[in-house]
Each structure stands twice: as C-alpha cells, then as structure tokens.
Amino acid sequence: MLRYIESKPASAEIFRMVIQKMAEWGCAFTPVHYTVVYEYVSGINPPLIEAVNGLLKQSSSLVGEDLEKIFVKYIVPDYVLPLNDYRGSLAKQLQSILQNISSSTTRTAQEAERVKNGMESYSHSLQEDGLDEKTFRTLVDAVLKDTLSIRESSSSLNAELLKNQKKIDCLQDELRIAREEAMVDPLTEILNRRGFSTKINDLFREGKFSGIPCALLMIDIDHFKKINDSYGHIIGDKAIIAVSKVLRGSVGENVFIGRVGGEEFAVFSPKTTSEEGLALAERLRQNIMKIEITNPSTRQKISTMTVSIGIDLAPFSGEWERMFERADKALYASKSSGRNKVTLWTSKTPDIKNSKNPSGSNS
C-alpha cells in the first residue's frame, strides 16, 4: 500500500510544517513522533487527526507516551500488526509460483510420456527382420533427439524449481522481518509487550524450561512524570532509552527484556533460583542508578534516576501470565514503600489496586 505519494515540492512543504508543529508541541524528534505529526499535517489519517486534536484540547504540548500510543493504534495496524494485506499479497505470489511449477512439471511429464512411447516404437522397429542401414540410422537419430529433448525438459524443470525456491525464500524472509518488526518497540528497539508475551508463549509451546524455576521482573522508572514535566519529553525519551540499554547490557544471553508500558519494563530470566533472581534485580537497580543524562539546555546532569522492581519466582508453566500479576503486585509494593527498591512477591504481598499511583504521586 502506497501511503506517502506527495510530489517533491509538496513533501518539502509538509516537512517544513511537521518540524514547525513538533517544535510548537514540544515533541521529541524521533521517527515515531515525526510519523504521527506527518500524518496529522498531511491530512491522510482522519482518525489520528481526531485523536491528536483531542489531546491538544487538554494540553498545548504532546507527551511522548501519548504519541506512541497514537502511533500503535492508528499507524502500526496499517503496516505491521494484522499483516492482512501482506498475507494477501504473499498468497497471490505463492499461487503464481505454484502455477509456474505445476506448468513446468506438466510439460516435463508430457514430454516424458511422448519419449516413452517413442522409445517403445523404436524398440519394436529395431527387432524387425531386414532392417536396412538407412532406417537404422534414422532410428538412432530419433533416439538421440528424444534423449536430448527429455534432458532439456528436465533441466528446464530443475531451473524453474530453483528459481521459484529462491522466490519462496525471499517471501519467507520478508514475512519473518515483518513479524519481527511487529514485536519491537520503535523507541528502544527492544521487545514490546506483544513481542515479550509472544516470546514467552513460544518458549512454553516448545517445552523449554517447563517446570524449571524462572524469574519475572517488572521494572518501573520512579517519578517519570516529574522527569517529563521538569526536563521535557526529549529528556523523558532519553531516560527510557538509557534504561533499556542498561537492561540489555546487564542480563545474560538467554534472558528476555521488553518495554511493556510507557516507563515500564519486564525481564524474564529462565533457570533462575530465588537468590539469583534477587541478585539480578538488585544489579539492575544499581546499574540504572549510574545512568547519566544531561539537560541539553543547561548541559547539567539531571537528578539520579531510580527504578522500583517487583519480582516473582515460580516454576515455568502454562499459567505463566499469573507471574505477571504477582510481579506487578510486588512492583506496586516497592513503590508504595518508598521506591528505589526490590520486592519479592510472597503470599503476604499486599494487593495494591491504585496502579501507577501507589502513594499519591505518579510513578
């Protein structure tokens, strides 16, 4: 589907308007934010325009998290999530490939049948008495000609199969890339919530780690709204990216991480004991405290960044989603007891319902 088809002069004018709007609304200059504002300015996405106007009625600036939600709801479905259009195109291409192969196979089969009948006729002729030299040479030439014909037909079929195999391989690669992109958070380039859940579901279906103790960590940046309000959304996005980089650099190869909310992350660590899970959570908490983000206008370091962490440890099973619930409860317990803490879920962990605001202030 061609979505952006403006002429060069028109696209230049839209680009100028997009930059102006992004500056006016206080948007961070990221690909996701640019795409949202581009579709707003160009007028090609009415539902998105209505959603943005609704936000602008509430505030003159646009929060990065709100823009990302709009991107996922009004833009991503057209490209990645359903993949319906792509599947339709893929089906047509596969149908064409199969028709080509079928046609080549039919031609080869017909040629083989013709040669078979010819060979039987030549065999009978060669067994006849009184066969003269001229007739013998004619039969030999015919046998050689038909042998060459069936060889060429077989070579043609093999070439067709090879060519179409390459086409199928390309289609498979395109589909794989599209599916992978649907699982990735565009800001941090780590798994999004959908991708994170899919990865764990795949592990369970494959029978990996079944019944083996695993750890699930829920991590939330403390006072994230205050960071946005005090330093702007560009700094807020930098904080989210910085945390994602620390997570990637602090876990092992077989540990999965994802951004499952605005400032919320999840870490799944298989084959992990209670001691190892708590040690991992504490290491992440301390490493995140070392993050240094500079305010571009003052070139000064912003205040120390901290996170609250909730952790659940349980044998891996088909009910792994309950680990999310328990780790979430532990996370809220960390935030309600002062933040910048690690809490391990137990049966005594309180069920704090006031999510995102456990002690009267956001995050």
Side-chain angles (χ1 to χ4, degrees), residues 6-188:
E6 293 84 0
S7 64
K8 187 173 181 179
S11 63
E13 176 61 18
I14 292 176
F15 175 80
R16 184 190 64 77
M17 295 169 64
V18 169
I19 299 302
Q20 180 180 344
K21 286 294 184 184
M22 292 182 75
E24 178 184 336
W25 295 339
C27 303
F29 288 87
T30 66
V32 169
H33 296 179
Y34 179 88
T35 304
V36 172
V37 180
Y38 187 101
E39 299 217 349
Y40 178 92
V41 170
S42 62
I44 63 175
N45 195 330
L48 177 145
I49 293 172
E50 184 177 350
V52 171
N53 286 337
L55 291 175
L56 291 174
K57 289 180 181 179
Q58 302 173 23
S59 173
S60 60
S61 61
L62 296 178
V63 180
E65 183 177 353
D66 289 333
L67 288 173
E68 288 161 20
K69 288 179 179 177
I70 288 176
F71 179 85
V72 170
K73 185 173 182 180
Y74 297 103
I75 298 177
V76 171
D78 289 340
Y79 293 100
V80 181
L81 293 181
L83 297 175
N84 288 335
D85 292 341
Y86 184 81
R87 287 195 182 100
S89 173
L90 178 64
K92 290 179 181 178
Q93 293 183 64
L94 283 176
Q95 185 177 9
S96 174
I97 290 171
L98 292 174
Q99 287 175 346
N100 290 339
I101 294 174
S102 176
S103 177
S104 297
T105 304
T106 300
R107 288 196 303 271
T108 301
Q110 291 172 343
E111 184 66 14
E113 184 66 21
R114 186 190 68 77
V115 171
K116 174 190 172 187
N117 294 335
M119 291 297 181
E120 290 177 351
S121 174
Y122 304 150
S123 177
H124 290 309
S125 298
L126 288 170
Q127 294 175 18
E128 293 178 358
D129 295 332
L131 185 66
D132 59 45
E133 183 178 349
K134 182 178 180 181
T135 303
F136 177 78
R137 287 181 177 177
T138 300
L139 288 173
V140 170
D141 288 343
V143 170
L144 292 174
K145 182 178 179 181
D146 283 348
T147 301
L148 180 61
S149 175
I150 192 64
R151 181 183 298 172
E152 290 176 347
S153 181
S154 297
S155 297
S156 176
L157 174 60
N158 289 334
E160 188 70 31
L161 289 172
L162 180 61
K163 180 178 70 175
N164 286 291
Q165 179 60 51
K166 291 180 179 178
K167 289 182 180 179
I168 291 173
D169 290 342
C170 288
L171 292 176
Q172 289 176 331
D173 287 341
E174 290 175 14
L175 181 58
R176 175 184 55 78
I177 292 171
R179 290 187 63 187
E180 288 176 354
E181 289 177 349
M183 304 292 180
V184 175
D185 171 55
L187 179 64
T188 61

